[in-house]
Amino acid sequence: MLLEVEHVTVRFGGLTALADVSVQVDEGEVVGVIGPNGAGKTTLFNVVCGFVRPGQGELRWRGAVLRRHRPHQLADLGIARTLQGLGLFPHMTVLENVLVGAGRHSRAWFGSGLFALPRSDRDDRALRERALATLDRLGVADAARSLPGQLPYGAQKRVALARALVAEPALVLLDEPASGLSASEMDELADIVRGLKQHTSVLLVEHHMDLVMAVCDRIVVLDFGRCIATGTPEQVRDDPKVLEAYLGEQVDATTQEVADD
Amino acid sequence: MSLLRRSTLLRNGLLALCGLGIMLAVTEGLSDYRNTQLANIAVTVCAVAGLTVLTGLSGQISLGNGAFMFVGAYTVGLLLMHNPGTNNGELVLVLAASALVAAVAGGLVGVAAARLRGPYLAGITLALALGLPALPEYSHFQGKLGGHAGLNFLAPNPPGGMNFFRWQAWVCLIGAVVTLFLLANLSRSRVGRAFRAVRDDEISASLAGLSVARVQILAFTVSAACAGLAGGLFAVINGNVLPSGFPISLSLSLLAAAVFGGLGTLSGAVYGSIIVTLLPQWSYDLAHAFSMPDRVQLNLPQAVYGAGLILGMLLFPLGIQGGVRRIWALGRNALRTKPAGN
Ligand SMILES: Nc1ncnc2c1ncn2[C@@H]1O[C@H](COP(=O)(O)OP(=O)(O)O)[C@@H](O)[C@H]1O
Ligand SMILES: [Mg+2]
C-alpha cells in the first residue's frame, strides 16, 4: 500500500469533521472521495498533508507511520496536492509557478544562488525544461509567460495541476479539480487523470459524478465525517445508503458549484 | 553571446564591473563634498537593497533594519578600535565581519519574525530599532561599548596618497555594487522564487516543499547582513560610532526609500536611496533660498521631505521603478505601428 489512513478522527471544537475514517490508496490506483458539502473531504486531505493533526488514528506512507509530519515534507515523500481554490502565486508567471512546484528536483540553494555558481544555472535550466514539458502536457505551454490572473479559469486550473504534477509525485491529491470547468474541459481532465495512473496514484475529491465514475477504481463515500460506503463505482452507485445521503444533495449541487468559484 | 545568456554569473558580473568602473571614474571629477554624498548614497543602497528583498520579495515588513546597521557599525568600531593600524586589505575582512555579525542577529530576530505577521512583525522590529541602539548606554555595557560618547577609531589611510574623500566613496561604492551583485544573483535563483512564493501564498508554498518559516528566516538574515554592511561602511566613513547615530527615523527612511523606489526591485533601491539621501539637503537648500524666519527655516526641510515622499507615492504608487516601467511600456506601444490586440 502507498497510503493508509487508519481510523482517523478529527474534531473541531464540538464538531466531528472525521469520525473513524479509513482510506487506502495502492500504487497505480485512482481513489475517489465523495460526499455532500461539509462531509469532511477537505479535512481528510488536510490530515494527509499535515495541516490538521488527527485526534485519533494514524497515517502510513509506504508502510512507515507518518508521525507529526509537516506539509513542506510531503514533496520529498512524493506527495503533491492541488487546493480546492486555485492557490496559484498571483505575482509570479505561470512558468515560475510551476518552477516552484518542481523544486524537489533541484539541489541548488543559497550558496550557489548567491554567487550564481554554474550549478545554479544548470539546475534552473533543468527545472525549466521539466516545467515547460509539464505545461505542454497539460496544454498550457503558451501561457508560460503570463500571470495566472490573465488566464481563463480552466487554464488556471491546469496550471495548478501542472505545479503539482511537475514534482513527479507518487501520489497526488486533487481537491475538486473539475469545479468551474466546462464539459469539454472535464472530458480532457478525465483523460489526464487516467493518463497519470502509470506513474502516479490519485486521491480525488470531486462533486461531478460523471467524472468520478469514469476515472475512479474505488470510491469512498463520506457523510457528516463518517465513511458510509466504499467500493467500486458500480457498488457505490447502487448502495441505498449513498442514495439516501445524496437525497436533497441534487438541489444543493447547483448552488455549491457557484460557491466554489 | 549565448554564453552571456546562459551564465548568470557572467551577465551580472559584467554588469557589476561596468557599473563599478563608471562610478569609480566619476569620483575623479567630483568635489570632496560630492564624493561624501556619493559615499552616503552607496551606504544607503546597501541597506535599502537588503530591505527591498525582505519586504518586496519575501513579503515581510521590517521597521527596524537600522538596528542591524547599528550592529554592523559597532562590529566595525570594536574591531578597528582594538586593532589600530588595520590596512585596506584587512578592512575587507572587517566589513565582512560586520555583515556576518548582523546576519547572525538577523537570523535570531528572523526566528521570532517567522511566527509573526503584519502589524505584529512591524511592532517587534520597531521595538528592536528603538531598543538595540540604546544598548551602549546601559551601565553594564558602557565600558565595552563606550556609552554615550560612542567609539572612536582610525579607519585605514587611503592607498598611495589618494584623496581621502574619493577613497571613502570608492570603499562604499564597492560595498554597494557587491551587495547589488549578490542580491541580483539571489533574486534570480531558486531562493528568490521561494521568497516570492512564500510572499504570495504560504499554503501553496509549503505544499511545493518549501518550509515557510525557514525561507522567511533566510530572507531576514540576508536583509540584516546587508544592513550590517551598510552600518560597517557608515562607521568607516565617519571614524566613530555613536548610539545616537541610529535613530528610529533611520529605519523608517530605509523603508521609505525601498517603497519609494519600487518595492522588490534593486534598481528601485538605488533610486530610492538617492532620493532619501539627497532630499533632506535639497529641502534644506530650498528653505534657505528664501529668506524666512529662523524657526520656519529650521523646520521646513522636514516638512518638504515628508511632503515630497507623500507626493511621490501618490504620483508613482508602484515606486519610481514602477513609473519607469510604465513610461517604458507607453513608449514601446507608441512606437508600434499597429495597436497590439485589444
Ligand atoms: N479549520 C477548521 N476549523 C473548524 N471547523 C472546520 C475546519 N475545517 C473544516 N471545518 C468544518 O469541518 C467540516 C468538514 O469540512 P470540509 O472538510 O471542508 O468538508 P468538505 O470538503 O467535504 O466540503 C465542516 O463542517 C467545516 O465547517
Ligand atoms: Mg472541500
Side-chain angles (χ1 to χ4, degrees), chain A residues 151-186:
Chain A
L151 303 179
Y153 190 79
Q156 293 188 46
K157 278 255 170 196
R158 285 161 189 251
V159 175
L161 189 57
R163 188 178 60 188
L165 294 180
V166 74
E168 295 183 359
L171 172 69
V172 64
L173 314 179
L174 305 177
D175 200 346
E176 306 202 9
S179 69
L181 296 191
S182 69
S184 67
E185 284 174 326
M186 226 177 293

Side-chain angles (χ1 to χ4, degrees), chain A residues 37-38 40-43 84 175-176 205 207 260:
Chain A
N37 234 6
K41 306 179 297 291
T42 298
T43 303
Q84 188 169 344
D175 200 346
E176 306 202 9
V205 164
H207 282 296
D260 282 342

Side-chain angles (χ1 to χ4, degrees), chain A residues 136-208:
Chain A
D136 193 42
R137 183 150 65 101
L138 295 183
V140 275
D142 290 344
R145 286 169 173 280
S146 314
L147 291 177
Q150 298 169 324
L151 303 179
Y153 190 79
Q156 293 188 46
K157 278 255 170 196
R158 285 161 189 251
V159 175
L161 189 57
R163 188 178 60 188
L165 294 180
V166 74
E168 295 183 359
L171 172 69
V172 64
L173 314 179
L174 305 177
D175 200 346
E176 306 202 9
S179 69
L181 296 191
S182 69
S184 67
E185 284 174 326
M186 226 177 293
D187 290 343
E188 291 173 44
L189 179 66
D191 288 338
I192 292 169
V193 172
R194 271 192 293 257
L196 289 177
K197 276 172 81 164
Q198 300 161 2
H199 308 288
T200 305
S201 305
V202 181
L203 191 57
L204 172 77
V205 164
E206 192 43 72
H207 282 296
H208 295 90

Side-chain angles (χ1 to χ4, degrees), chain B residues 62-64 120-132 248 251-252:
Chain B
S62 171
L63 299 182
Y120 301 100
L121 185 55
I124 195 174
T125 52
L126 190 65
L128 192 72
L130 284 169
L132 209 54
I248 187 71
S251 296
L252 298 182

